[in-house]
Amino acid sequence: GLINCLELSGWSPIVVNRWDPCLARYYRLAGVRRMLYWDDVMAPASEALAEAAVDRFGSFEELLAFEWEGVRVGRFAASTMLRQLRLGSLDLGSPQIRRQLGQAMANGMAAAEAARRIIRQVRPEVALFVDRGYTPHGELFDRCLKEGIDAITWYAAHRSNTLMFKRYTPNNQDEHPVSLS
């Protein structure tokens, strides 16, 4: 439905997602003519650079503050790991967590570089996100804001048959999607 709304408003939607034949089929049925896949735009991750960054983290705050190419990779790597591992916190003293964090950071760094390539290739005027807090979409969200591209999120609302939208700028990029603006 949102894709059709964008088209009726004169936009030409381009979907950026991981390759999934079922999703690709549904997007084509919805009329999407152009899709980009993360696997096609992401270069191999530099695990050595990521591990060097992880070695410098003495605290969770340092992890959250880490940026790569102006993108908050540390924040998205941490969020992605917490979600995948279903944990409430990351024990940076754990060798296993640090190893996994190295991989998450490498993925985030690769996503940050891919986001730059996507924006150069597509040159979007607006970007619509359903979830902007995890790798690789978080890195694209951040890059859009850095490039002055309107970034809008949508979520299911607290009422039936209702969606919530929020437009983000660098000034409100960390606000919760249901916060007032």
Side-chain angles (χ1 to χ4, degrees), residues 5-179:
C5 288
L6 290 169
E7 289 174 328
L8 290 171
S9 297
W11 301 95
S12 297
I14 300 170
V15 172
V16 179
N17 212 340
R18 296 215 182 265
W19 168 247
D20 180 327
C22 293
L23 278 179
R25 181 172 180 252
Y26 285 115
Y27 281 124
R28 279 194 300 277
L29 290 171
V32 173
R33 292 179 200 88
R34 189 166 172 204
M35 290 181 268
L36 290 177
Y37 301 107
W38 284 104
D39 293 340
D40 294 338
V41 294
M42 283 181 72
S46 174
E47 292 184 29
L49 284 173
E51 288 171 5
V54 170
D55 287 343
R56 291 192 306 265
F57 299 146
S59 69
F60 192 69
E61 289 73 25
E62 289 176 0
L63 165 61
L64 294 180
F66 179 80
E67 291 190 4
W68 180 259
E69 294 194 2
V71 173
R72 300 173 302 162
V73 168
R75 173 182 293 264
F76 301 123
S79 293
T80 302
M81 277 192 63
L82 289 168
R83 184 179 195 183
Q84 289 173 343
L85 298 174
R86 298 177 186 216
L87 294 173
S89 64
L90 295 177
D91 177 8
L92 295 183
S94 163
Q96 180 181 358
I97 291 292
R98 287 187 91 82
R99 270 192 309 279
Q100 289 176 294
L101 184 56
Q103 184 60 52
M105 291 289 291
N107 291 339
M109 293 162 82
E113 293 171 4
R116 183 177 26 83
R117 284 191 292 278
I118 289 169
I119 289 172
R120 284 187 184 153
Q121 179 181 346
V122 173
R123 303 217 180 272
E125 294 179 50
V126 65
L128 183 65
F129 295 87
V130 68
D131 201 347
R132 60 169 176 74
Y134 305 101
T135 298
H137 298 101
E139 289 82 359
L140 181 57
F141 172 83
D142 254 26
R143 178 57 60 196
C144 285
L145 292 181
K146 298 263 187 250
E147 301 282 335
I149 297 164
D150 279 340
I152 301 168
T153 61
W154 69 274
Y155 292 91
H158 60 286
R159 296 174 61 189
S160 296
N161 302 314
T162 306
L163 296 177
M164 292 185 301
F165 295 87
K166 186 171 186 91
R167 180 179 179 213
Y168 284 92
T169 68
N171 295 329
N172 71 348
Q173 67 185 0
D174 291 328
E175 288 183 11
H176 193 276
V178 299
S179 65

